[in-house]
Coordinates of all heavy atoms in Angstrom, one line a residue:
M1 N 0.8 -1.2 0.0 CA 0.0 0.0 0.0 C 0.9 1.2 0.0 O 1.8 1.4 0.8 CB -0.9 0.0 1.2 CG -1.8 1.1 1.3 SD -3.0 0.8 2.6 CE -2.7 2.2 3.6
S2 N 0.7 2.1 -0.9 CA 1.5 3.3 -1.0 C 0.9 4.4 -0.1 O -0.3 4.5 0.1 CB 1.6 3.8 -2.5 OG 0.3 4.3 -2.9
H3 N 1.8 5.2 0.4 CA 1.5 6.3 1.2 C 1.2 7.6 0.4 O 2.0 8.0 -0.4 CB 2.6 6.6 2.2 CG 2.3 7.9 3.1 ND1 1.4 7.9 4.0 CD2 2.9 9.1 3.1 CE1 1.4 9.1 4.6 NE2 2.3 9.8 4.0
L4 N 0.0 8.1 0.4 CA -0.4 9.3 -0.3 C -0.2 10.5 0.6 O -0.6 10.5 1.7 CB -1.8 9.2 -0.8 CG -2.1 8.1 -1.8 CD1 -3.6 8.0 -2.1 CD2 -1.3 8.2 -3.0
L5 N 0.4 11.5 0.0 CA 0.6 12.8 0.8 C -0.7 13.6 0.8 O -1.3 13.7 -0.3 CB 1.8 13.6 0.2 CG 3.1 13.0 0.3 CD1 4.2 13.8 -0.4 CD2 3.6 12.7 1.7
T6 N -1.0 14.2 1.9 CA -2.1 15.2 1.9 C -1.6 16.5 1.3 O -0.4 16.7 1.1 CB -2.5 15.5 3.4 OG1 -1.4 16.2 4.0 CG2 -2.9 14.2 4.1
P7 N -2.5 17.3 0.9 CA -2.1 18.6 0.3 C -1.1 19.4 1.1 O -0.2 20.0 0.6 CB -3.4 19.4 0.1 CG -4.4 18.3 -0.1 CD -4.0 17.2 0.8
V8 N -1.3 19.4 2.4 CA -0.4 20.2 3.3 C 1.0 19.6 3.3 O 2.0 20.3 3.2 CB -1.0 20.3 4.7 CG1 0.0 21.0 5.6 CG2 -2.3 21.1 4.7
E9 N 1.0 18.2 3.3 CA 2.3 17.5 3.3 C 3.1 17.7 2.0 O 4.3 17.8 2.0 CB 2.2 16.0 3.6 CG 1.7 15.7 5.0 CD 1.4 14.2 5.1 OE1 0.9 13.6 4.2 OE2 1.6 13.7 6.2
S10 N 2.4 17.9 0.9 CA 3.0 18.1 -0.4 C 3.2 19.5 -0.8 O 3.7 19.8 -1.9 CB 2.3 17.3 -1.5 OG 1.0 17.8 -1.6
A11 N 2.7 20.4 0.1 CA 2.8 21.8 -0.2 C 4.2 22.4 -0.2 O 5.1 21.9 0.4 CB 1.9 22.6 0.8
L12 N 4.4 23.4 -1.0 CA 5.7 24.1 -1.0 C 5.4 25.6 -0.7 O 4.3 26.1 -0.8 CB 6.3 24.0 -2.4 CG 5.5 24.5 -3.6 CD1 6.4 25.4 -4.5 CD2 5.0 23.3 -4.4
P13 N 6.5 26.2 -0.2 CA 6.4 27.6 0.1 C 6.2 28.5 -1.1 O 6.6 28.1 -2.2 CB 7.7 28.0 0.8 CG 8.7 27.0 0.3 CD 7.9 25.7 0.0
L14 N 5.5 29.6 -1.0 CA 5.2 30.4 -2.1 C 6.5 30.9 -2.8 O 6.5 31.1 -4.0 CB 4.3 31.6 -1.7 CG 3.7 32.5 -2.8 CD1 2.9 31.7 -3.8 CD2 2.9 33.6 -2.2
T15 N 7.6 31.0 -2.1 CA 8.8 31.4 -2.6 C 9.3 30.4 -3.7 O 10.1 30.8 -4.6 CB 9.9 31.5 -1.5 OG1 9.9 30.3 -0.8 CG2 9.6 32.7 -0.6
A16 N 8.9 29.2 -3.6 CA 9.3 28.1 -4.6 C 8.4 28.0 -5.8 O 8.6 27.3 -6.7 CB 9.4 26.8 -3.9
A17 N 7.3 28.9 -5.8 CA 6.3 28.8 -6.9 C 6.9 29.3 -8.2 O 7.8 30.2 -8.2 CB 5.1 29.6 -6.5
V18 N 6.5 28.7 -9.3 CA 6.9 29.1 -10.6 C 6.1 30.4 -11.0 O 4.9 30.4 -10.9 CB 6.6 28.0 -11.7 CG1 6.9 28.4 -13.1 CG2 7.4 26.7 -11.3
T19 N 6.9 31.4 -11.5 CA 6.2 32.6 -11.8 C 5.2 32.4 -12.9 O 5.5 31.7 -13.9 CB 7.3 33.7 -12.3 OG1 8.2 33.9 -11.3 CG2 6.7 35.0 -12.7
G20 N 4.0 32.9 -12.7 CA 2.9 32.8 -13.7 C 2.0 31.6 -13.6 O 1.0 31.6 -14.2
Q21 N 2.4 30.6 -12.8 CA 1.6 29.4 -12.6 C 0.6 29.6 -11.5 O 0.8 30.3 -10.5 CB 2.5 28.2 -12.3 CG 1.7 26.9 -12.1 CD 2.6 25.7 -12.0 OE1 3.7 25.7 -12.5 NE2 2.1 24.7 -11.4
A22 N -0.6 29.0 -11.6 CA -1.7 29.1 -10.6 C -1.5 28.1 -9.5 O -1.1 27.0 -9.8 CB -3.0 28.9 -11.3
Y23 N -1.7 28.5 -8.3 CA -1.6 27.7 -7.1 C -2.8 27.9 -6.2 O -3.5 28.9 -6.4 CB -0.3 28.1 -6.3 CG 1.0 27.7 -7.0 CD1 1.5 28.5 -8.0 CD2 1.6 26.5 -6.8 CE1 2.7 28.2 -8.6 CE2 2.8 26.2 -7.4 CZ 3.3 27.0 -8.4 OH 4.5 26.7 -9.0
E24 N -2.9 27.0 -5.3 CA -4.0 27.1 -4.2 C -3.3 27.2 -2.9 O -2.4 26.3 -2.6 CB -4.9 25.9 -4.3 CG -6.0 26.0 -3.3 CD -6.9 24.8 -3.3 OE1 -7.1 24.2 -4.4 OE2 -7.5 24.5 -2.2
V25 N -3.7 28.1 -2.0 CA -3.2 28.2 -0.7 C -3.8 27.0 0.1 O -5.0 26.8 0.1 CB -3.6 29.5 0.0 CG1 -3.1 29.5 1.5 CG2 -3.0 30.7 -0.7
V26 N -2.9 26.3 0.8 CA -3.4 25.2 1.6 C -3.1 25.4 3.1 O -3.8 24.8 4.0 CB -2.8 23.8 1.2 CG1 -3.3 23.4 -0.1 CG2 -1.3 23.8 1.3
A27 N -2.2 26.3 3.4 CA -1.9 26.6 4.9 C -1.0 27.8 5.0 O -0.4 28.3 4.0 CB -1.2 25.4 5.5
L28 N -1.1 28.4 6.2 CA -0.2 29.5 6.6 C 0.7 29.0 7.7 O 0.1 28.3 8.6 CB -0.9 30.7 7.0 CG -1.6 31.5 5.9 CD1 -2.5 32.6 6.5 CD2 -0.7 32.0 4.9
T29 N 1.9 29.3 7.8 CA 2.8 28.9 8.9 C 3.5 30.1 9.4 O 3.5 31.2 8.7 CB 3.9 27.9 8.4 OG1 4.8 28.6 7.6 CG2 3.3 26.7 7.7
S30 N 4.2 30.0 10.5 CA 4.9 31.1 11.0 C 6.3 31.2 10.4 O 7.0 32.2 10.4 CB 5.0 31.0 12.6 OG 3.8 31.2 13.1
A31 N 6.8 30.0 9.9 CA 8.1 29.9 9.1 C 9.2 30.8 9.6 O 9.7 31.6 8.9 CB 7.8 30.2 7.7
G32 N 9.5 30.8 10.9 CA 10.6 31.5 11.5 C 10.2 33.0 11.7 O 11.1 33.8 12.1
T33 N 9.0 33.4 11.6 CA 8.6 34.7 11.9 C 7.6 34.7 13.1 O 7.2 33.6 13.6 CB 7.9 35.4 10.7 OG1 6.6 34.7 10.5 CG2 8.7 35.4 9.5
S34 N 7.1 35.8 13.5 CA 6.1 35.8 14.5 C 4.7 35.4 14.0 O 4.5 35.4 12.7 CB 6.0 37.3 15.1 OG 5.4 38.1 14.1
S35 N 3.8 35.0 14.8 CA 2.5 34.6 14.4 C 1.7 35.8 13.8 O 0.8 35.6 13.1 CB 1.7 34.0 15.5 OG 1.5 34.9 16.6
E36 N 2.2 37.0 14.1 CA 1.6 38.2 13.6 C 1.7 38.3 12.1 O 0.8 38.8 11.4 CB 2.2 39.5 14.2 CG 1.8 39.6 15.7 CD 2.5 40.8 16.3 OE1 3.1 41.7 15.5 OE2 2.6 40.9 17.5
T37 N 2.8 37.7 11.5 CA 3.0 37.7 10.1 C 1.9 36.9 9.4 O 1.3 37.3 8.4 CB 4.4 37.2 9.7 OG1 5.3 38.1 10.3 CG2 4.6 37.2 8.2
A38 N 1.7 35.7 9.9 CA 0.7 34.7 9.4 C -0.7 35.4 9.5 O -1.5 35.3 8.6 CB 0.8 33.4 10.1
N39 N -1.0 36.0 10.7 CA -2.3 36.7 10.9 C -2.5 37.8 9.8 O -3.6 37.9 9.3 CB -2.4 37.2 12.3 CG -2.5 36.1 13.3 OD1 -2.9 35.0 13.0 ND2 -2.2 36.5 14.6
R40 N -1.4 38.6 9.6 CA -1.5 39.7 8.6 C -1.8 39.1 7.2 O -2.6 39.6 6.5 CB -0.2 40.5 8.6 CG -0.3 41.6 7.6 CD 1.0 42.5 7.7 NE 1.2 43.2 6.5 CZ 1.9 42.7 5.4 NH1 2.4 41.5 5.5 NH2 2.0 43.4 4.3
L41 N -1.1 38.0 6.9 CA -1.3 37.4 5.5 C -2.8 36.9 5.4 O -3.4 37.1 4.4 CB -0.3 36.3 5.3 CG 1.1 36.7 5.1 CD1 2.1 35.6 5.2 CD2 1.3 37.4 3.8
A42 N -3.3 36.3 6.5 CA -4.7 35.9 6.5 C -5.6 37.0 6.3 O -6.6 37.0 5.5 CB -5.0 35.1 7.8
E43 N -5.4 38.2 6.9 CA -6.2 39.3 6.8 C -6.2 39.9 5.4 O -7.1 40.5 4.9 CB -5.8 40.4 7.8 CG -6.1 40.1 9.2 CD -5.5 41.0 10.2 OE1 -4.7 42.0 9.8 OE2 -5.8 40.9 11.4
L44 N -5.0 39.7 4.7 CA -4.9 40.2 3.3 C -5.6 39.2 2.3 O -5.8 39.6 1.2 CB -3.4 40.3 2.9 CG -2.7 41.4 3.6 CD1 -1.2 41.3 3.2 CD2 -3.2 42.8 3.3
G45 N -6.0 38.0 2.8 CA -6.7 37.1 1.9 C -6.0 35.8 1.5 O -6.5 35.0 0.7
F46 N -4.8 35.6 2.1 CA -4.0 34.4 1.9 C -4.6 33.3 2.7 O -4.0 32.9 3.8 CB -2.5 34.6 2.1 CG -1.9 35.5 1.1 CD1 -1.9 36.9 1.3 CD2 -1.3 35.0 0.0 CE1 -1.3 37.7 0.4 CE2 -0.7 35.8 -1.0 CZ -0.7 37.2 -0.8
L47 N -5.8 32.8 2.4 CA -6.5 31.8 3.1 C -6.6 30.5 2.4 O -6.6 30.5 1.1 CB -7.9 32.3 3.4 CG -8.0 33.6 4.2 CD1 -9.4 34.1 4.2 CD2 -7.5 33.3 5.7
P48 N -6.6 29.4 3.1 CA -6.8 28.1 2.4 C -7.9 28.1 1.4 O -9.0 28.6 1.7 CB -7.0 27.1 3.6 CG -6.3 27.7 4.7 CD -6.5 29.2 4.6
G49 N -7.6 27.6 0.2 CA -8.6 27.5 -0.8 C -8.5 28.6 -1.8 O -9.1 28.5 -2.9
E50 N -7.8 29.7 -1.5 CA -7.7 30.8 -2.4 C -6.6 30.5 -3.5 O -5.6 29.9 -3.2 CB -7.2 32.1 -1.6 CG -8.3 32.8 -0.8 CD -9.4 33.3 -1.7 OE1 -9.1 33.9 -2.8 OE2 -10.6 33.2 -1.3
R51 N -6.9 31.0 -4.7 CA -6.0 30.9 -5.8 C -4.9 32.0 -5.7 O -5.3 33.2 -5.4 CB -6.7 31.0 -7.1 CG -7.5 29.8 -7.4 CD -8.2 30.0 -8.7 NE -7.2 30.3 -9.8 CZ -7.3 29.8 -11.0 NH1 -8.2 29.0 -11.3 NH2 -6.4 30.1 -11.9
V52 N -3.7 31.7 -5.9 CA -2.6 32.7 -5.9 C -1.7 32.4 -7.1 O -1.6 31.3 -7.6 CB -1.8 32.6 -4.6 CG1 -2.6 33.0 -3.4 CG2 -1.1 31.3 -4.4
A53 N -0.9 33.5 -7.5 CA 0.1 33.4 -8.5 C 1.2 34.4 -8.2 O 0.9 35.5 -7.8 CB -0.5 33.6 -9.9
V54 N 2.4 34.0 -8.4 CA 3.5 34.9 -8.4 C 3.6 35.6 -9.7 O 3.8 34.9 -10.7 CB 4.9 34.2 -8.0 CG1 6.0 35.2 -8.1 CG2 4.8 33.6 -6.6
L55 N 3.4 36.9 -9.8 CA 3.4 37.6 -11.1 C 4.8 38.0 -11.5 O 5.1 38.0 -12.7 CB 2.5 38.8 -11.0 CG 1.1 38.5 -10.6 CD1 0.3 39.9 -10.5 CD2 0.4 37.6 -11.6
A56 N 5.7 38.4 -10.5 CA 7.0 38.8 -10.9 C 7.9 38.8 -9.6 O 7.3 38.7 -8.5 CB 7.0 40.2 -11.4
R57 N 9.2 38.8 -9.8 CA 10.1 38.8 -8.7 C 11.1 40.0 -8.9 O 11.5 40.3 -10.0 CB 10.9 37.5 -8.6 CG 10.1 36.3 -8.4 CD 10.9 35.0 -8.6 NE 10.0 33.9 -8.6 CZ 9.6 33.2 -7.5 NH1 10.1 33.5 -6.3 NH2 8.8 32.2 -7.6
G58 N 11.4 40.7 -7.8 CA 12.3 41.8 -7.9 C 13.7 41.4 -8.3 O 14.1 40.3 -8.1
V59 N 14.4 42.4 -8.8 CA 15.8 42.1 -9.1 C 16.7 43.2 -8.4 O 16.3 44.3 -8.3 CB 16.0 42.3 -10.7 CG1 17.5 42.2 -11.0 CG2 15.2 41.3 -11.4
P60 N 17.8 42.9 -7.8 CA 18.4 41.5 -7.6 C 17.8 40.8 -6.5 O 17.1 41.4 -5.6 CB 19.8 41.9 -7.4 CG 19.8 43.1 -6.6 CD 18.6 43.9 -7.2
G61 N 18.0 39.5 -6.4 CA 17.7 38.7 -5.3 C 16.3 38.1 -5.3 O 15.9 37.4 -4.4
G62 N 15.4 38.5 -6.3 CA 14.1 37.9 -6.3 C 13.1 38.4 -5.3 O 12.2 37.8 -5.0
E63 N 13.4 39.6 -4.7 CA 12.6 40.2 -3.7 C 12.3 41.6 -4.0 O 13.2 42.3 -4.4 CB 13.3 40.0 -2.3 CG 12.5 40.3 -1.2 CD 13.2 39.9 0.1 OE1 14.5 40.0 0.2 OE2 12.5 39.7 1.1
P64 N 11.1 42.1 -3.8 CA 9.9 41.4 -3.3 C 9.3 40.6 -4.4 O 9.6 40.7 -5.6 CB 9.0 42.6 -2.9 CG 9.3 43.7 -3.8 CD 10.8 43.5 -4.0
L65 N 8.3 39.8 -4.0 CA 7.5 39.0 -5.0 C 6.2 39.7 -5.2 O 5.6 40.1 -4.2 CB 7.2 37.6 -4.4 CG 8.3 36.6 -4.4 CD1 9.3 36.8 -3.3 CD2 7.7 35.2 -4.3
A66 N 5.8 39.9 -6.4 CA 4.5 40.5 -6.7 C 3.6 39.3 -6.8 O 3.7 38.4 -7.6 CB 4.5 41.2 -8.1
V67 N 2.6 39.2 -5.9 CA 1.7 38.1 -5.8 C 0.3 38.5 -5.9 O -0.2 39.5 -5.3 CB 1.9 37.4 -4.4 CG1 1.0 36.2 -4.2 CG2 3.4 37.0 -4.2
R68 N -0.5 37.8 -6.8 CA -1.9 38.0 -6.9 C -2.7 37.0 -6.1 O -2.4 35.8 -6.2 CB -2.4 37.9 -8.3 CG -3.9 38.0 -8.5 CD -4.3 38.4 -9.8 NE -3.7 39.7 -10.1 CZ -4.4 40.7 -10.6 NH1 -5.7 40.7 -10.7 NH2 -3.8 41.8 -10.9
V69 N -3.6 37.4 -5.3 CA -4.5 36.6 -4.5 C -5.9 37.1 -4.7 O -6.1 38.3 -4.5 CB -4.1 36.4 -3.0 CG1 -4.1 37.8 -2.3 CG2 -5.0 35.5 -2.3
G70 N -6.8 36.3 -5.3 CA -8.1 36.8 -5.6 C -7.9 37.9 -6.7 O -7.3 37.7 -7.7
L71 N -8.5 39.0 -6.4 CA -8.4 40.2 -7.4 C -7.4 41.2 -6.9 O -7.3 42.3 -7.6 CB -9.8 40.8 -7.5 CG -10.9 39.9 -8.0 CD1 -12.3 40.6 -8.0 CD2 -10.6 39.4 -9.4
S72 N -6.7 40.9 -5.9 CA -5.7 41.9 -5.4 C -4.3 41.5 -5.6 O -4.0 40.3 -5.7 CB -5.9 42.0 -3.9 OG -7.2 42.5 -3.6
T73 N -3.4 42.4 -5.7 CA -1.9 42.2 -6.0 C -1.2 42.8 -4.8 O -1.4 43.9 -4.5 CB -1.5 42.7 -7.3 OG1 -2.3 42.2 -8.3 CG2 0.0 42.4 -7.5
F74 N -0.2 42.0 -4.2 CA 0.6 42.5 -3.1 C 2.1 42.3 -3.4 O 2.4 41.3 -4.1 CB 0.2 41.7 -1.8 CG -1.2 41.9 -1.4 CD1 -2.2 41.0 -1.7 CD2 -1.6 43.0 -0.7 CE1 -3.5 41.1 -1.4 CE2 -2.9 43.2 -0.3 CZ -3.9 42.3 -0.6
A75 N 2.9 43.1 -2.8 CA 4.3 42.8 -2.8 C 4.7 42.2 -1.5 O 4.4 42.8 -0.4 CB 5.1 44.2 -3.0
L76 N 5.2 41.0 -1.5 CA 5.6 40.3 -0.3 C 7.1 40.1 -0.2 O 7.8 39.8 -1.2 CB 5.0 38.9 -0.3 CG 3.5 38.7 -0.3 CD1 3.1 37.3 -0.2 CD2 2.9 39.5 0.9
R77 N 7.6 40.3 1.0 CA 9.1 40.0 1.2 C 9.2 38.5 1.2 O 8.2 37.8 1.5 CB 9.5 40.6 2.6 CG 9.5 42.1 2.6 CD 9.8 42.6 4.0 NE 8.8 42.2 4.9 CZ 9.0 41.9 6.2 NH1 10.2 42.0 6.7 NH2 8.0 41.5 7.0
R78 N 10.4 38.0 1.0 CA 10.7 36.6 1.0 C 10.2 35.9 2.3 O 9.6 34.9 2.3 CB 12.2 36.3 0.7 CG 12.5 34.9 0.7 CD 14.0 34.7 0.2 NE 14.2 35.2 -1.1 CZ 13.9 34.5 -2.2 NH1 13.3 33.3 -2.1 NH2 14.2 35.0 -3.4
V79 N 10.5 36.5 3.4 CA 10.1 35.9 4.7 C 8.6 35.8 4.9 O 8.1 34.8 5.4 CB 10.8 36.7 5.9 CG1 10.1 38.1 6.0 CG2 10.7 35.9 7.2
E80 N 7.9 36.7 4.3 CA 6.4 36.6 4.3 C 5.9 35.5 3.4 O 5.0 34.7 3.7 CB 5.8 38.0 3.9 CG 6.1 39.1 4.9 CD 5.7 40.5 4.3 OE1 5.9 40.7 3.1 OE2 5.4 41.3 5.1
A81 N 6.5 35.5 2.2 CA 6.1 34.5 1.2 C 6.4 33.1 1.7 O 5.7 32.1 1.3 CB 6.7 34.7 -0.2
E82 N 7.4 32.9 2.5 CA 7.8 31.6 3.1 C 6.6 31.0 4.0 O 6.5 29.9 4.1 CB 9.1 31.7 3.9 CG 10.3 31.7 3.1 CD 10.7 30.3 2.5 OE1 10.3 29.3 3.1 OE2 11.3 30.3 1.4
C83 N 5.8 31.9 4.5 CA 4.7 31.5 5.4 C 3.5 30.9 4.7 O 2.7 30.2 5.3 CB 4.2 32.7 6.2 SG 5.5 33.4 7.3
V84 N 3.4 31.2 3.4 CA 2.3 30.7 2.6 C 2.6 29.4 1.9 O 3.6 29.3 1.1 CB 1.9 31.8 1.5 CG1 0.7 31.3 0.7 CG2 1.7 33.2 2.1
R85 N 1.9 28.4 2.2 CA 2.1 27.0 1.6 C 1.1 26.8 0.6 O -0.1 27.0 0.8 CB 2.0 25.9 2.7 CG 2.9 26.1 3.8 CD 4.4 25.9 3.4 NE 5.3 26.1 4.5 CZ 6.5 26.3 4.3 NH1 7.1 26.4 3.2 NH2 7.3 26.5 5.4
V86 N 1.5 26.4 -0.6 CA 0.7 26.2 -1.8 C 0.8 24.9 -2.5 O 1.9 24.2 -2.3 CB 0.9 27.4 -2.8 CG1 0.6 28.7 -2.2 CG2 2.3 27.3 -3.3
I87 N -0.2 24.5 -3.3 CA 0.0 23.4 -4.2 C -0.4 23.9 -5.6 O -1.2 24.8 -5.7 CB -1.0 22.2 -3.8 CG1 -2.4 22.6 -3.7 CG2 -0.5 21.5 -2.5 CD1 -3.4 21.5 -3.5
A88 N 0.2 23.3 -6.6 CA 0.0 23.7 -8.0 C -1.4 23.3 -8.4 O -1.8 22.2 -8.0 CB 1.0 23.2 -8.9
L89 N -2.1 24.1 -9.2 CA -3.4 23.8 -9.7 C -3.1 23.1 -11.1 O -2.2 23.4 -11.8 CB -4.3 25.0 -9.9 CG -4.7 25.6 -8.6 CD1 -5.5 26.9 -8.9 CD2 -5.6 24.7 -7.8
G90 N -4.0 22.1 -11.4 CA -3.9 21.4 -12.7 C -4.2 22.3 -13.9 O -4.5 23.5 -13.7
E91 N -4.1 21.7 -15.0 CA -4.3 22.4 -16.3 C -5.7 23.1 -16.4 O -5.9 24.1 -16.9 CB -4.2 21.4 -17.5 CG -2.8 21.0 -17.8 CD -1.9 22.2 -18.2 OE1 -2.3 23.0 -19.1 OE2 -0.8 22.4 -17.6
G92 N -6.7 22.5 -15.7 CA -8.0 23.0 -15.7 C -8.2 24.2 -14.9 O -9.2 24.9 -14.8
G93 N -7.2 24.6 -14.1 CA -7.2 25.8 -13.3 C -7.9 25.5 -11.9 O -8.3 26.4 -11.2
G94 N -8.1 24.3 -11.5 CA -8.6 24.0 -10.2 C -10.1 24.0 -10.2 O -10.8 23.5 -11.0
H95 N -10.6 24.8 -9.2 CA -12.1 24.8 -9.0 C -12.7 25.7 -10.0 O -12.8 26.8 -10.1 CB -12.5 25.3 -7.6 CG -11.4 25.4 -6.6 ND1 -11.1 24.4 -5.7 CD2 -10.5 26.3 -6.3 CE1 -10.1 24.7 -5.0 NE2 -9.7 25.9 -5.3

């Protein structure tokens, strides 16, 4: 019997997302920051089930990340984006 990973177990941080690809938020973590960072991200709309996409990355260093969640676009620092755990959506765009 093979072990299947749950979406949270197979999730990657938003910093590892491919630019332009659609993802779904599955969790928020503190990822080495205070819980206030995760709370702030939740208030901005980074909630489980929401679609997100990294639109662009700053140069040099890839920071900040321009991220679309819902109909809004935000600039996130790398430490903030590390708190958002996502899974890639399939070709059909998910839900």
